[in-house]
Amino acid sequence: MANRLGELLVRDSLVAPAALAAAQAEQERTGERLGAILVRRGDLSEDLLVEYLAKQYGAERIKLADFEIDADVIKLVTPDRARRLRAIPLKRHGGALIVVTDDPANVDVETELRFATSFNITVVVASDREIDETLKRYYDDSMSYAAALEGVSEEDLDIVVEDDGEVDITSAKKSAEEAPVVKLVNAILVNAIKLGASDIHIEPYEKAFRLRYRIDGVLHEQPAPPFKLRAPIVSRLKILAQANIAERRVPQGGRIKLKYEAKKEIDYRVSILPTLFGEKIVLRLLDKSNLQLDMRKLGFADKQLVAFSHAVHQPFGMVLVTGPTGSGKTTTLYSALSELNKVSENICTAEDPVEYNLFGINQVQMNDDVGLTFATALREFLRQDPDIVMVGEIRDFETAEMAVKAALTGHMVLSTLHTNDAASAITRLVDMGIEPFLVASAIDCVVGQRLARRLCQHCKERQIISADVLRANGIRSQFDMEAYQATGCSRCNHSGYKGRVGLYEVMVVSEEIRKLALARAPAPQIAEVAVRQGMRLMRDDGLEKVRHGMTSIQEVTRVTGSGSAAIE
């Protein structure tokens, strides 16, 4: 096929004779396919090559990204055969099996697969890169969770189950290293990556063992591991996290590093909690490749982004990001730090835990056991000639006092606070014991935020939301609203949502708001003034994203609560 392909490409003036000769020489040395070499060398574009192959051999050109292949179809061709032939079963159509390949001239694809599957074979064409990605996705060397689960039979296992007495460390380690346990734990970790989970919950109950993944902020139950394996699975995870497998009375923590797809490294932050029927384990997935450090892509509206960016670029003062756990506060702060990270700036952060390593920033992990708290770290930072300081969270009076003093003595301080909205940050600091005049002087900007699930772009459907439904969701409106709703497809795991989008409110602390802080005004009064001065509330920001088809009314209501908003 290679010689014939080269002749055709030269004949049709798609590749120069000299380029073909160089590619053929490289092919003789490496054994690589001619088309792949020409694309890599830049002599021919990948799309043009695929279109050309499809035309020459009378096959349809497809985009594999548009297909979700059913598990029953994938099983028709073994992994070894799919890799050797570079051919993947796509779907059944009557008595025919549609197979996609990057080499339509390979007659073995049709003849071998017709014999192996007893189907008539119809060949379609995709790019070399698409075939590689799909082979990796569906025929990964690491066993899928479903396959690992099917391969475990409780009757066949000789697993030592811990009782309520002392743990036999030798037995626990031995049971944790049994082949079914190792495969199952590996599959649980890898499957979470494939599904885009942010957390894994492994929970023991009296007569059940439950596995759940948090995907786009919502927990989804997975097929349960065998009840008999609860102790070995916990022991295996403890060993990987370098925790004490003999200790079951107190909480423990640790980290697991997993290399995935050669170049990708995932960190799992492990939390182990003793419960009534055993130890519950929660693993937080930290994937640096998914960390969004561009403030312009976080979901801020233009005016919000200008206000936030202006605040963090000030030479001193305090910028706070508020919201509940899991609302994306750390990502917002990291994006700000990434923009501020210059050779001319000395940046120090105090975090618990340090979730992502950022080059050029001095990050410190808190350790209460040795007295390294946020307040202690902040006190030491001020002796390190800092320009910018980030405090992971203001939890107590001492930390709040140090942060405010740092902001008032010529440093830019970034931090987070657990409040329901931006306006409440001011009253929370006063409630902690910070003098109102210090709060009023230090804070320049407060961002309140939530994360809403993003509608799947492949299956969302346009709808008209009646004024009655809007009012039922706390939105004051006399008119119907055009928006989109979640439906569900294979690409979003039939949830109707894929990914998340931020809902924000950015409160710039004006002179009028500073006066309210001095007067110890309540949060609603501060919010009212901020809105009058141009702040968009989170629910209003959510409604704007509903209008643009990013999320749904139901999601905005779910994450922002039952407050009210108005549509103009």
Side-chain angles (χ1 to χ4, degrees):
M1 181 248 182
N3 290 334
R4 174 64 176 159
L5 174 62
E7 291 170 7
L8 292 171
L9 291 172
V10 170
R11 184 198 69 186
D12 292 339
S13 301
L14 294 174
V15 173
L20 175 63
Q24 287 174 331
E26 184 173 339
Q27 184 186 34
E28 289 180 7
R29 292 195 310 272
T30 64
E32 193 178 355
R33 292 188 307 284
L34 181 65
I37 294 172
L38 288 167
V39 170
R40 178 166 48 74
R41 288 168 53 91
D43 299 319
L44 187 66
S45 75
E46 186 177 62
D47 283 339
L48 184 57
L49 173 63
V50 178
E51 295 289 350
Y52 188 78
L53 287 172
K55 182 179 178 181
Q56 286 297 321
Y57 293 95
E60 181 186 354
R61 195 281 194 242
I62 67 160
K63 296 280 189 182
L64 268 171
D66 295 336
F67 292 85
E68 188 74 25
I69 307 175
D70 191 82
D72 292 334
V73 173
I74 281 291
K75 290 177 183 177
L76 294 173
V77 178
T78 64
D80 289 341
R81 180 173 280 124
R83 292 190 187 97
R84 178 169 51 81
L85 294 174
R86 294 187 62 76
I88 302 165
L90 196 63
K91 61 180 179 179
R92 287 179 292 199
H93 187 70
L97 179 66
I98 299 174
V99 174
V100 59
T101 181
D102 57 3
D103 187 2
N106 185 354
V107 295
D108 290 342
V109 170
E110 186 173 349
T111 55
E112 187 172 333
L113 292 184
R114 184 169 61 242
F115 177 79
T117 65
S118 301
F119 283 96
N120 292 322
I121 304 299
T122 300
V123 173
V124 296
V125 185
S127 71
D128 180 82
R129 175 181 50 80
E130 289 175 301
I131 293 293
D132 283 337
E133 290 174 352
T134 308
L135 283 171
K136 191 176 294 182
R137 180 180 178 188
Y138 290 100
Y139 294 107
D140 199 300
D141 288 334
S142 56
M143 185 180 292
S144 71
Y145 176 61
L149 204 56
E150 288 176 5
V152 175
S153 170
E154 291 196 25
E155 289 74 19
D156 296 335
L157 294 173
D158 183 20
I159 300 294
V160 178
V161 180
E162 300 168 8
D163 56 25
D164 290 332
E166 293 185 357
V167 178
D168 184 335
I169 297 178
T170 304
S171 297
K173 283 186 175 179
K174 181 181 177 182
S175 65
E177 291 169 1
E178 292 280 345
V181 176
V182 172
K183 287 181 179 179
L184 199 54
V185 169
N186 290 347
I188 289 171
L189 299 178
V190 170
N191 200 48
I193 301 171
K194 290 180 177 178
L195 292 176
S198 61
D199 300 86
I200 304 171
H201 289 243
I202 298 171
E203 305 161 310
Y205 295 94
E206 186 175 12
K207 296 181 180 179
F209 194 44
R210 186 161 74 169
L211 171 66
R212 293 188 291 173
Y213 291 151
R214 188 177 294 280
I215 302 171
D216 295 333
V218 177
L219 283 170
H220 297 268
E221 191 156 6
Q222 305 298 308
F227 183 65
K228 192 175 181 182
L229 285 180
R230 66 195 186 282
I233 286 175
V234 169
S235 295
R236 176 65 182 169
L237 287 167
K238 280 182 163 184
I239 290 169
L240 292 174
Q242 298 183 336
N244 183 356
I245 66 171
E247 179 58 74
R248 296 188 299 168
R249 300 163 299 173
V250 297
Q252 296 189 70
R255 279 202 172 196
I256 298 172
K257 281 195 174 183
L258 174 71
K259 284 191 175 179
Y260 180 65
E261 293 182 350
K263 297 180 181 177
K264 199 172 187 179
E265 191 174 81
I266 308 291
D267 272 6
Y268 297 81
R269 195 175 75 210
V270 184
S271 172
I272 305 165
L273 179 70
T275 67
L276 187 61
F277 298 108
E279 290 169 295
K280 172 179 176 175
I281 298 184
V282 175
L283 301 97
R284 166 68 56 89
L285 280 70
L286 304 174
D287 181 2
K288 193 171 183 178
S289 66
N290 286 336
L291 180 62
Q292 178 56 261
L293 294 179
D294 188 342
M295 292 196 333
R296 292 163 295 186
K297 296 180 180 178
L298 292 178
F300 284 105
D302 291 342
K303 287 184 178 179
Q304 292 175 327
L305 181 59
V306 169
F308 179 53
S309 182
H310 180 265
V312 299
H313 279 90
Q314 295 305 301
F316 55 85
M318 180 184 287
V319 175
L320 295 174
V321 181
T322 73
T325 301
S327 60
K329 299 188 299 296
T330 300
T331 300
T332 300
L333 287 181
Y334 275 178
S335 70
L337 288 177
S338 178
E339 187 161 315
L340 296 170
N341 189 9
K342 299 179 177 65
V343 174
S344 59
E345 305 293 334
N346 177 21
I347 304 176
C348 299
T349 73
E351 303 175 57
D352 186 20
V354 175
E355 295 192 3
Y356 299 98
N357 301 324
L358 303 176
F359 178 78
I361 295 176
N362 306 289
Q363 297 173 271
V364 179
Q365 168 69 56
M366 298 301 92
N367 187 344
D368 289 344
D369 293 339
V370 297
L372 183 54
T373 63
F374 283 119
T376 305
L378 189 49
R379 189 176 292 111
E380 292 304 316
F381 285 169
L382 298 181
R383 298 171 183 167
Q384 291 277 317
D385 185 30
D387 296 296
I388 300 163
V389 172
M390 187 190 94
V391 183
E393 183 184 341
I394 294 178
R395 298 175 178 171
D396 51 46
F397 169 76
E398 189 180 7
T399 306
E401 183 182 40
M402 288 298 302
V404 167
K405 285 182 178 178
L408 293 173
T409 53
H411 306 91
M412 169 49 64
V413 178
L414 307 176
S415 190
T416 70
L417 202 60
H418 284 288
T419 63
N420 291 328
D421 54 31
S424 297
I426 291 175
T427 55
R428 175 63 55 84
L429 288 175
V430 172
D431 289 343
M432 282 183 176
I434 306 300
E435 290 294 334
F437 74 91
L438 293 176
V439 174
S441 302
I443 300 179
D444 292 324
C445 180
V446 184
V447 177
Q449 68 179 74
R450 298 287 190 279
L451 290 178
R453 289 183 294 172
R454 189 185 289 271
L455 284 168
C456 175
Q457 300 303 301
H458 296 281
C459 65
K460 66 179 182 180
E461 290 183 354
R462 190 181 297 272
Q463 66 169 346
I464 301 296
I465 307 174
S466 70
D468 290 339
V469 172
L470 290 171
R471 287 193 290 271
N473 282 276
I475 299 161
R476 302 188 303 276
S477 177
Q478 301 300 318
F479 307 100
D480 296 347
M481 177 180 173
E482 188 177 283
Y484 290 85
Q485 64 181 348
T487 54
C489 65
S490 58
R491 296 195 181 201
C492 59
N493 201 26
H494 302 284
S495 68
Y497 299 94
K498 193 170 182 64
R500 288 193 282 180
V501 61
L503 310 183
Y504 301 96
E505 57 186 33
V506 179
M507 185 181 78
V508 176
V509 180
S510 64
E511 287 305 314
E512 188 174 353
I513 292 175
R514 293 188 199 281
K515 289 177 182 177
L516 290 174
L518 281 169
R520 298 179 182 265
Q525 188 178 344
I526 294 172
E528 184 180 341
V529 171
V531 170
R532 193 174 71 240
Q533 293 178 347
M535 182 181 79
R536 177 195 283 177
L537 294 172
M538 268 184 286
R539 279 178 68 81
D540 294 324
D541 190 45
L543 287 176
E544 193 62 28
K545 290 178 168 72
V546 169
R547 285 194 188 94
H548 286 89
M550 297 182 190
T551 188
S552 66
I553 282 283
Q554 292 79 10
E555 268 300 286
V556 171
T557 303
R558 182 180 71 85
V559 301
T560 63
S562 57
S564 64
I567 293 180
E568 298 177 357

